[in-house]
């Protein structure tokens, strides 16, 4: 690889790298998961079992099937892009924090099933954007928050038990985690403006 071509690689701080990288990882893991004799979903969150605690790190990238994966990719891309409007660093902090905190809450309080999927993080991004906009009250934050409410107001129903095979706990605790992180960031950012 020449020095000139090496400089064209996207930096880890780019929006494209952040969003597409996560989506590509989910896609690759889903392909691997469809191979005979492989069930990566066993690496998901299994509440209150020590063996399921490591699932907090793996669950967001694993899916129950192609339909599950594809239903998560578009909302993830849109909400992740909206969080990236603040900064890519902010996106990574919100992504990791909601995945870890939401995942831990699922491990403590969730039903005794394996929980997988990016939807917990999607709800975390959703909760973050709405709470941050309400708390920060800058024009940009409010505008993004309104866009999220208009585009994804239907997500509110996902935090309630509906179908037995859908982890409403991931949705609920993801949204709570995201809202909490949005509150903390808004409070911190308002103090920096003073």
């Amino acid at each position: 690889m020449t020095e000139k071509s090496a400089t064209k690689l996207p930096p880890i701080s780019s929006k494209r790298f952040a969003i597409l990288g996560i989506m590509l990882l989910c896609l690759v893991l889903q392909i691997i998961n469809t191979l005979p004799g492989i069930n990566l979903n066993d690496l998901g969150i299994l509440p209150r079992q020590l063996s399921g605690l490591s699932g907090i790190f793996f669950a967001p990238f694993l899916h129950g099937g192609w339909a599950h994966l594809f239903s998560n990719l578009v909302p993830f891309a849109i909400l992740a892009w909206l969080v990236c409007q603040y900064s890519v660093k902010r996106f990574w902090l919100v992504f990791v924090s909601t995945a870890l905190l939401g995942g831990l809450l699922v491990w403590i309080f969730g039903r005794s099933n394996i929980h997988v999927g990016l939807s917990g993080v999607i709800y975390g991004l959703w909760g973050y954007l709405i709470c941050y906009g309400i708390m920060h009250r800058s024009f940009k934050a409010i505008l993004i928050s309104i866009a999220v409410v208009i585009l994804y107001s239907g997500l509110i129903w996902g935090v309630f038990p509906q179908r037995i095979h859908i982890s409403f706990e991931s949705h609920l605790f993801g949204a709570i985690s995201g809202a909490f992180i949005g509150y903390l960031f808004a409070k911190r950012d308002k103090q920096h403006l003073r």
Side-chain angles (χ1 to χ4, degrees):
M1 185 183 304
T2 66
E3 188 178 320
K4 191 173 182 180
S5 64
T7 59
K8 291 189 178 185
L9 292 174
I12 196 161
S13 62
S14 81
K15 294 173 192 173
R16 246 178 316 183
F17 178 86
I19 298 168
L20 293 177
I22 290 168
M23 292 170 71
L24 184 62
L25 177 60
C26 292
L27 187 65
V28 167
L29 289 174
Q30 182 56 34
I31 291 168
I32 293 169
N33 216 9
T34 60
L35 297 174
I38 295 179
N39 185 11
L40 295 178
N41 288 358
D42 286 342
L43 297 172
I45 300 169
L46 185 58
R48 295 169 301 282
Q49 301 293 322
L50 280 179
S51 61
L53 192 56
S54 61
I56 293 169
F57 302 99
F58 301 116
F61 309 106
L62 301 170
H63 291 82
W66 289 106
H68 185 205
L69 173 62
F70 290 135
S71 70
N72 281 337
L73 291 181
V74 172
F76 170 74
I78 293 169
L79 294 170
W81 181 80
L82 288 170
V83 175
C84 281
Q85 298 315 298
Y86 297 105
S87 74
V88 178
K89 181 181 178 185
R90 175 71 52 100
F91 164 74
W92 283 116
L93 287 169
V94 174
F95 180 90
V96 171
S97 300
T98 56
L100 295 180
L101 182 56
L104 181 61
L105 290 170
V106 169
W107 186 80
I108 295 170
F109 299 110
R111 288 170 292 170
S112 292
N113 297 324
I114 293 177
H115 299 258
V116 295
L118 197 53
S119 56
V121 171
I122 290 168
Y123 274 82
L125 300 173
W126 177 73
Y128 168 83
L129 289 164
I130 292 171
C131 187
Y132 186 84
I134 292 168
M135 296 302 299
H136 192 264
R137 297 183 187 154
S138 69
F139 178 75
K140 177 182 177 180
I142 291 170
L143 194 63
I144 290 174
S145 186
I146 289 170
V148 169
V149 169
I150 291 169
L151 289 171
Y152 290 107
S153 59
L155 286 182
I156 192 68
W157 301 112
V159 301
F160 300 107
Q162 293 179 36
R163 286 175 270 182
I164 196 162
H165 66 282
I166 294 177
S167 176
F168 79 91
E169 299 96 325
S170 292
H171 301 170
L172 174 63
F173 294 127
I176 290 170
S177 301
F180 175 67
I181 293 158
Y183 169 79
L184 293 180
F185 272 118
K187 193 173 175 184
R188 189 197 71 172
D189 291 351
K190 281 172 84 173
Q191 286 174 346
H192 287 173
L193 291 173
R194 290 176 186 166

